[in-house]
């Protein structure tokens, strides 16, 4: 189970939320989301948990999270998000039969979805992938039995066609995949009201 995250540095993360929150506020929210994601997933003990960090693994928050949740830290490699995802997936699949890639922007993503994704991949040899779509057209989870560059190259990251393009690429590869229920994630200023309602109950 791989979580990809940027260091919570003002101006370097959640930049689309900067107009609403300011650079410091966007970084604080990013840290909140990252800690929440790990707090939901780590205690479940579903699979080894690895945090893939950018630009490196030296930030004090990353080191504190590694101690708190007993997870391994790795440095993201690659120029764009696709290259970084491919590298992390390839690295993990050299040691495991399946991998689940997630970000930290979806407070509704928890052990149930990750368990379902891994079960689908490990219990059915015919299943090549699991896609957890986001309501905005991206995805919040991608489970794989093998890494294919086609899934990560020339993808319109950050747009509303990421999941659609990923589906088309998997179909082009002749893959079979399963989809989870769509979930909202937190990317844009208009998502903030929904998120605050979620965390305040």
């Amino acid at each position: 189970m791989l979580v990809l995250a940027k260091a919570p540095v003002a101006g370097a993360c959640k930049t689309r939320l900067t107009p609403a929150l300011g650079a410091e506020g966007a970084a604080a929210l990013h840290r909140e989301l990252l800690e929440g994601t790990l707090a939901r997933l780590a205690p479940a003990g579903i699979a080894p948990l690895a945090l893939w960090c950018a630009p490196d693994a030296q930030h004090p928050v990353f080191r504190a999270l590694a101690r708190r949740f007993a997870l391994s830290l790795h440095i993201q490699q690659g120029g764009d998000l696709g290259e970084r995802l491919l590298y992390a997936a390839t690295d993990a699949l050299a040691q495991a039969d399946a991998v689940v890639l997630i970000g930290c922007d979806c407070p509704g993503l928890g052990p149930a979805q990750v368990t379902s994704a891994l079960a689908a991949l490990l219990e059915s040899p015919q299943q090549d992938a699991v896609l957890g779509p986001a309501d905005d057209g991206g995805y919040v989870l991608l489970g794989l039995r093998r890494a294919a560059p086609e899934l990560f190259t020339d993808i319109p990251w950050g747009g509303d066609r990421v999941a659609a393009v990923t589906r088309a690429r998997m179909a082009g590869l002749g893959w079979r995949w399963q989809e989870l229920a769509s979930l909202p994630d937190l990317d844009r200023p208009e998502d903030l009201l929904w998120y605050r309602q979620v965390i305040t109950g």
Side-chain angles (χ1 to χ4, degrees):
M1 183 164 42
L2 312 185
V3 179
L4 280 79
K6 293 180 179 179
V9 175
C13 61
K14 284 293 174 197
T15 53
R16 282 186 285 178
L17 295 177
T18 300
L21 299 175
E24 294 286 349
L29 177 59
H30 177 63
R31 176 176 177 171
E32 180 181 306
L33 290 166
L34 174 57
E35 291 178 347
T37 298
L38 297 176
R40 289 191 303 275
L41 295 176
I46 303 163
L49 185 57
L51 180 59
W52 283 76
C53 311
D56 55 48
Q58 301 303 315
H59 194 283
V61 167
F62 289 150
R63 294 189 169 277
L65 291 171
R67 291 191 298 270
R68 178 179 170 189
F69 296 113
L71 51 85
S72 59
L73 298 180
H74 308 264
I75 301 172
Q76 294 184 31
Q77 305 286 336
D80 67 3
L81 177 59
E83 291 178 357
R84 297 193 294 270
L85 287 167
L86 178 60
Y87 184 94
T90 302
D91 181 83
L93 287 167
Q95 310 160 60
D97 293 328
V99 65
V100 172
L101 300 155
I102 64 173
C104 56
D105 301 334
C106 181
L109 181 65
Q113 290 87 355
V114 175
T115 299
S116 294
L118 284 173
L121 293 168
L122 296 174
E123 295 173 8
S124 173
Q126 292 78 32
Q127 199 83 276
D128 298 294
V130 175
L131 183 69
D135 290 351
D136 64 4
Y139 60 75
V140 300
L141 177 152
L142 182 64
L144 299 170
R145 287 176 61 92
R146 47 192 164 139
E150 291 89 340
L151 301 185
F152 305 107
T153 304
D154 296 325
I155 303 293
W157 302 111
D160 60 3
R161 298 188 60 252
V162 174
V165 172
T166 302
R167 291 185 189 101
R169 299 285 178 83
M170 291 192 291
L173 289 166
W175 282 17
R176 290 186 177 185
W177 72 93
Q178 178 177 316
E179 297 208 12
L180 305 177
S182 179
L183 291 170
D185 62 359
L186 182 55
D187 285 322
R188 303 159 298 181
E190 54 264 38
D191 300 327
L192 288 169
L193 177 60
W194 155 80
Y195 175 65
R196 294 305 178 192
Q197 291 173 339
V198 167
I199 63 173
T200 58

